[in-house]
């Protein structure tokens, strides 16, 4: 079994990486059967982004608090865990933004694509779904389009619904809607093609994020679920992500 | 084409029914190709319930405001409309309640199953999903389990998400959760088996409704999507229910 | 110092009452300087209601979890605690309901007055504030009018705001508003005179509660803050109710 | 009667200003009895800020849609309207921010003071009220502290409560709270001294606004209601701001 270890540069992670490499060896990502990532949720997410193209299954481990995308850290028994791990293929969103200079930026989001006002003035957004103008003007702080995997994060904080893994919907969630007042958004089919246009980009600039990938001063943002691209993520079988989504949903706050 | 007309007993409906029957004839429901129902959303819903077993497609028409499950009233051209209508098969929920005397009541819900406290004291509910206790004790006014078709109704009023037709999720929405405070619920896969148990039925009685069908003083409520049963509903093709769900979602309040 | 002890009839409370009476003596409520109540929040609330007219300061004590209106139980040092206690005068609400038979019921609420549908059909309510119709028709599960003391309870569960003690506002909070959709209510000046009328009492009966005092099938409910009536409640000075309201407000859920 | 006219530089406003000045004359602000401002809500707010120090009553007029702080435009009868107008003294908030270079910025807010994350990372804020740490760490998009006058604006969009004019509370409203999840904030007494500190300013910079006045990269923000400063605003007596707050509260969305 060939493993490639990556670690978020904190001392404990780097030390663990050393120990793991001593025990299991280490190969280049391209030659690996598995990528094992040591760090928090943010780092796992970054690792998934980094290795999107080589399509190797990623197994995250962390010390202390075990985040949403991770497993417990243990030095021993890693090969067995990898063999027995449950594979979850996350379907990411694709974001295409247009900037005032006509530049198009494309980025992938495993969790969510968010749009946010950059200035004091509320954003004014037009929302098109599958070619149809569904909202002429949403005046708001911003908007989130979230996958199931991302639904327990920013989407949930903004009062969007938690979506179970394996469902065919994505969440469109508004943040602080001024007009229509208290508009919350809703769910869309996961094959929906969404286009969000800034109706007043000079006075009311907006920034878009595909996970952590930033695109500033965008004129429009097109969002759809990736057709084909799947992101293989591994979980200890007593610790499945489906279950974590439910646990998050039923948590006491 | 054989049509069976039914009408909510208001004068205008009864008069329209007469005119329609004069023009198109009328047959018993069992012999009809189509059921045409004249009345509001509540009446269409009732008609769907009444004709569950004979599985005839229902086409609702209404004067004035056209509700969620209906089409515009017109005397002329009905046969053409029926032929060209879009068929939507709604998948209902099945509710099985247990009463203190051990009686089991079974009922079908096209829109939602709701549970509500009957007295001053908040309800104390345990929630089991697919055999697993997901919430030991929810202290609340009540809980709603809603289909997509029902999601724009009571579920939405209680801040549950609007679910597009054709998705594979149902909404579990809490009403006025006292503990866990502000718990909102979430989405479940539509094959989830839900069991909600009243943990204190003597002091804190609850009532359950499958749409309008009431079951008082229930000890427990089991809910799952019907396996097999589908309810055929017809819409003018320029007036599809999928579209109405979206329109409701993006409406200005 | 003359104390009257009352206890919620659980063994531990009754035993504690006995010990306290042996140590401090006990007098009739009318002759007491202080009422000391042993029990939970619900019992303290009931005690406050029971002794409304004799206007004696009430000091609540409880074992185990110390609720909102209570202090810790201790046998020793009670007289000193009472002398040093901080006095908070709660201003209750007065509810006047009208039933179909023309009967008027008057009741006092220290926490909140709530109105709730009795049946499957949503309530349809008209809201008048200070003689002006502010809402022609609210279609909803119910409505809560809450004092500051009650604002952390049912009001907060229904997403109403927590109101600090000593402020001059009360909360009007809607539960599951269907129309206007997602209407949340707001704050009113504490001298507001509110009248809520059931616009369809035969089809859509409602029940009103002033704290636990029930009034069924009401036609209308008039609510205003009591003019003059104040309810004296005592707290250990390191455990003030003002502070508890804030603690509740900033709690982690 | 000496009037000073100011106008937002749109043609219609400037033309109206000319006509008004021809009819009523015009003086320097310092010598005026009244400031009459022509423009929308934003401009009236700016005018109030501009003339804070000279304490002259401001009367706003607008064409078309009449915003929250304004009256209808009419050329005739202005002097009578001013004489009969109802005076409302708004009590503003004072914001004091500290920047990393130790610079202190002070600004006045008539509507609200808002704090917002500048980057992708959620803000991490500590909240102190009256010298007491009330929240160790709020992870969120931002926080709003709103006066009654501002409560119908950004505060309301972020699900904060609408506060009637003349009450002694201010709203502290959280935007997209990630931790504590769904924390909404609450009401504080209007003499509360609030201090909000950025616990991670290097990684998670925040920007503060007192109405439109921006203060970037702030380390901490101190907020309290101004002691003494009052802002005189005039309304036609059939169009009082108290009433507008209520109208906004009971509006259909």
């Amino acid at each position: 079994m060939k493993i490639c270890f990556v670690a978020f540069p904190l001392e404990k992670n780097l030390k663990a990486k050393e120990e793991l490499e001593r025990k299991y060896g280490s190969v280049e990502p391209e030659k690996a059967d598995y990528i094992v990532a040591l760090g928090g949720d943010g780092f796992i997410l970054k690792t998934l982004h980094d290795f999107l193209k080589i399509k190797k299954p990623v197994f995250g481990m962390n010390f202390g608090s075990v985040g949403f995308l991770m497993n417990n850290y243990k030095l021993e028994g890693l090969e067995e865990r990898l063999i027995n791990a449950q594979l979850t293929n996350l379907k990411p969103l694709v974001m295409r933004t247009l900037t005032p200079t006509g530049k198009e930026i494309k980025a992938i989001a495993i969790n969510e694509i968010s749009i946010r006002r950059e200035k004091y003035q509320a954003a004014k957004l037009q929302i098109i779904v599958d070619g149809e103008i569904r909202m002429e003007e949403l005046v708001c702080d911003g908007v989130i389009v979230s996958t199931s995997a991302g639904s327990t994060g920013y989407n949930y904080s903004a009062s969007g619904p938690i979506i179970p893994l394996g469902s065919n919907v994505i969440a469109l969630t508004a943040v602080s809607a001024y007009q229509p007042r208290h508009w919350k958004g809703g769910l869309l089919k996961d094959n929906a093609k969404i286009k969000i246009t800034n109706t007043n980009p000079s006075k009311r600039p907006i920034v878009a994020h595909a996970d952590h990938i930033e695109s500033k001063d965008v004129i429009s943002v097109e969002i759809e679920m990736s057709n084909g691209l799947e992101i293989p993520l591994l979980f200890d079988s007593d610790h499945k992500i489906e279950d974590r989504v439910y646990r998050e949903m039923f948590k006491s706050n």
Side-chain angles (χ1 to χ4, degrees), chain A:
Chain A
M1 179 182 295
K2 283 172 283 176
I3 306 178
C4 166
F5 292 96
V6 294
F8 184 72
L10 285 182
E11 212 194 304
K12 59 174 181 179
N13 295 329
L14 296 172
K15 220 182 113 196
K17 182 169 176 262
E18 234 178 80
E19 288 182 327
L20 286 159
E21 290 182 337
R22 212 174 305 133
K23 192 168 171 72
Y24 300 102
S26 183
V27 300
E28 294 296 292
E30 290 74 14
K31 295 176 185 154
D33 302 313
Y34 300 97
I35 310 286
V36 171
L38 302 162
D41 255 1
F43 181 69
I44 307 295
L45 197 61
K46 198 182 159 301
T47 303
L48 293 173
H49 277 276
D50 289 350
F51 295 108
L52 268 182
K53 296 218 173 102
I54 63 170
K55 296 181 187 197
K56 299 295 165 78
V58 171
F59 184 80
M61 290 203 294
N62 200 24
F63 299 91
S65 79
V66 172
F68 203 70
L69 302 170
M70 297 178 296
N71 303 280
N72 285 306
Y73 176 78
K74 242 187 317 183
L75 177 60
E76 309 297 328
L78 181 59
E79 295 187 329
E80 241 185 294
R81 283 171 85 185
L82 290 173
I83 286 163
N84 294 322
Q86 190 215 21
L87 178 70
T88 300
N89 282 303
L90 299 179
K91 289 161 81 184
L93 298 168
V94 182
M95 165 175 99
R96 279 184 191 82
T97 64
L98 194 69
T99 64
T101 60
K103 216 172 78 180
E104 220 199 82
I105 293 166
K106 185 182 157 183
I108 296 294
I110 293 161
N111 279 345
E112 82 268 316
I113 289 164
S114 63
I115 288 169
R116 205 163 56 88
R117 63 179 169 99
E118 289 181 37
K119 292 271 160 73
Y120 175 63
Q121 280 83 12
K124 293 197 171 179
L125 307 173
Q126 186 199 56
I127 303 176
I128 294 175
V129 180
D130 295 331
E132 206 154 325
I133 298 178
R134 289 295 179 182
M135 187 159 293
E136 248 337 326
E137 189 169 271
L138 171 65
V139 186
C140 62
D141 269 3
V143 151
I144 302 160
V145 177
S146 172
T147 66
S148 169
S151 68
T152 59
Y154 186 25
N155 167 69
Y156 191 45
S157 302
S159 295
I162 291 184
I163 304 171
L165 258 286
S167 58
N168 60 2
V169 291
I170 54 178
L172 170 71
T173 300
V175 181
S176 310
Y178 182 84
Q179 202 192 324
R181 275 284 192 159
H182 298 149
W183 186 67
K184 306 155 40 81
L187 295 164
L188 301 175
K189 296 288 285 289
D190 65 0
N191 57 6
K193 290 180 193 339
I194 304 165
K195 182 171 183 180
I196 296 171
T197 303
N198 187 352
T199 63
N200 194 345
S202 57
K203 191 180 166 198
R204 300 168 182 269
I206 58 173
V207 58
H209 282 93
D211 291 345
H212 54 278
I213 304 155
E214 187 172 280
S215 186
K216 292 195 84 167
D217 299 332
V218 298
I219 301 294
S220 70
V221 183
E222 289 182 41
I223 300 167
E224 62 181 307
M225 192 153 269
S226 164
N227 203 342
L229 188 56
E230 297 206 324
I231 292 172
L233 193 55
L234 292 168
F235 293 97
D236 286 330
S237 53
D238 58 346
H239 213 165
K240 296 180 198 172
I241 190 171
E242 282 89 342
D243 196 59
R244 291 172 195 209
V245 173
Y246 274 134
R247 247 182 277 160
E248 199 66 24
M249 191 186 295
F250 287 98
K251 225 164 70 172
S252 296
N253 53 44

